[in-house]
């Protein structure tokens, strides 16, 4: 039992350091006049994803367009012309990825809304988990002392 508790305490920093990737998409019309999809990609600690891959996929999963994020986490991709359901996918080339939906129909374009800011909720949940894991060795030791 003590080994399990020690392993959990040693792994705690690894579990607490994980973070997610967020993608926000918008449509813009640059000076040239062609509508593009602007994807802003960042980690949940607001660090931009630099040199990340951003792709627009059609409903079959085929790549329609692809771009790389700049130093501000922004990539601009040509807007698909044909009506349909698309997915904007961003990844860091490793274990972090995010996606959002893009619907084009009858000349209208619909994007998923940007994610709500729920950092306080995630922080509270993380602190609760850390507290439980930190208290686990104490409970195990207390149980072993009664024997």
């Amino acid at each position: 039992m003590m080994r399990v508790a020690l392993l959990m305490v040693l792994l705690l920093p690894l579990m607490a350091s994980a973070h997610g990737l967020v993608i926000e998409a918008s449509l813009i019309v640059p000076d040239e006049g062609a509508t593009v999809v602007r994807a802003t990609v960042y980690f949940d600690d607001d660090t931009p994803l630099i040199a990340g891959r951003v792709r627009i996929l059609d409903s079959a999963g085929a790549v329609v367009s692809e771009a790389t994020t700049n130093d501000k986490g922004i990539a601009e991709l040509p807007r698909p012309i044909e009506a349909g359901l698309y997915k904007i996918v961003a990844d860091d080339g490793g274990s972090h990825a995010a996606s959002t939906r893009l619907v084009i129909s009858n000349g209208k374009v619909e994007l998923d809304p940007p994610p709500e800011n729920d950092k306080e909720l995630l922080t509270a949940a993380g602190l609760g988990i850390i507290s439980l894991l930190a208290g686990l060795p104490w409970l195990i030791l207390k149980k072993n002392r009664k024997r």
Side-chain angles (χ1 to χ4, degrees):
M1 282 297 206
M2 189 61 174
R3 290 181 190 163
V4 173
L6 181 59
L7 181 63
M8 290 178 74
V9 170
L10 291 175
L11 290 177
L12 188 60
L14 296 175
M15 290 187 278
S17 66
H19 56 275
L21 194 62
V22 178
I23 180 171
E24 293 180 4
S26 60
L27 294 174
I28 61 166
V29 181
D31 295 335
E32 297 84 41
T35 304
V36 297
V37 176
R38 175 179 283 171
T40 304
V41 189
Y42 54 91
F43 292 96
D44 59 8
D45 65 357
D46 293 331
T47 304
L49 175 63
I50 300 171
R53 180 174 62 163
V54 180
R55 297 171 290 148
I56 296 179
L57 308 176
D58 65 15
S59 59
V63 176
V64 175
S65 60
E66 187 170 354
T68 302
T69 57
N70 62 18
D71 61 344
K72 295 179 181 173
I74 298 172
E76 293 185 356
L77 303 101
R79 185 197 116 185
I81 297 171
E82 294 184 26
L85 176 63
Y86 297 88
K87 184 186 263 188
I88 305 169
V89 179
D91 67 76
D92 65 354
S95 62
H96 298 97
S99 66
T100 189
R101 183 174 68 98
L102 170 67
V103 180
I104 299 177
S105 63
N106 298 329
K108 295 181 180 179
V109 177
E110 177 187 327
L111 297 164
D112 276 345
E116 294 181 17
N117 187 356
D118 55 357
K119 286 184 181 178
E120 288 100 15
L121 178 63
L122 291 174
T123 301
L127 290 173
I129 291 170
I130 290 170
S131 298
L132 286 172
L133 291 174
L136 188 61
W138 178 79
L139 290 172
I140 292 171
L141 289 173
K142 184 177 177 182
K143 184 178 180 181
N144 286 341
R145 284 186 197 153
K146 288 183 179 180
R147 288 183 186 179

